[in-house]
Amino acid sequence: MSGSTTYALLAVPFLGVAVLVAVVAGLVAARRAGDPERARRRRRVTLVSAVVAGIALVVMTLVFNNVIVGLGVVAYDPAKTLGIRTGLFPVEDLAYSLGAVVLLPALWTLLGGPDAGRDRRDGAGTRDRRDRAGATTPRPAAASRPTRPTREGEPSA
């Protein structure tokens, strides 16, 4: 690190990217939301997931960082810290965990949330597609997908 760089300044780009992705995810989620009740439910699931994951991640960070600093695996230059410590490590090291708490739910939202994998696995989701005019188009039936051949004695799919 150069003379004026601190650990807090190193975290700024990561936190900036996390906030930017979260803003984009919010805009995309607002644009995707057709049904207000569905949008409310999706926001609730995302928020609860973020809070639970955030608490778990921060608790694990507190424990693990104290262990690795206590064992001498990691050391911090006192001149590069803000001076506030959380146990044995500087508080600015929590910025990465807090950034992940913001970034991961945002990525989850951008990638489709809880329904993203279901449509790809089934080939026929439970939801209908909406075109730009708002008309629904049913998804193709699962039976139209090719199936793999079965071996002798194996049940067919």
Side-chain angles (χ1 to χ4, degrees):
M1 279 197 274
S2 67
S4 63
T5 304
T6 64
Y7 296 115
L9 284 176
L10 286 174
V12 170
F14 178 70
L15 291 173
V17 168
V19 168
L20 180 66
V21 171
V23 168
V24 170
L27 295 172
V28 167
R31 190 168 186 187
R32 278 186 194 157
D35 176 29
E37 180 57 34
R38 181 173 165 227
R40 192 175 306 114
R41 218 180 356 222
R42 188 174 282 255
R43 275 194 304 269
R44 191 177 315 125
V45 167
T46 302
L47 182 63
V48 169
S49 301
V51 168
V52 169
I55 290 169
L57 190 60
V58 169
V59 167
M60 289 187 295
T61 300
L62 289 169
V63 171
F64 183 71
N65 280 6
N66 278 304
V67 169
I68 63 173
V69 171
L71 292 174
V73 175
V74 175
Y76 295 93
D77 181 358
K80 307 276 187 194
T81 67
L82 297 176
I84 305 167
R85 294 202 168 260
T86 308
L88 300 175
F89 67 95
V91 72
E92 52 263 47
D93 206 25
L94 282 174
Y96 299 101
S97 297
L98 297 176
V101 167
V102 172
L103 183 62
L104 294 177
L107 288 174
W108 187 54
T109 299
L110 285 173
L111 297 175
D115 299 328
R118 186 176 316 146
D119 292 342
R120 279 185 239 125
R121 282 192 305 269
D122 295 347
T126 57
R127 299 175 302 169
D128 290 333
R129 286 186 270 206
R130 292 190 181 270
D131 64 14
R132 291 180 188 248
T136 58
T137 306
R139 293 186 184 244
S144 66
R145 287 186 322 190
T147 58
R148 67 175 177 83
T150 59
R151 293 186 209 133
E152 190 175 326
E154 186 178 287
S156 61

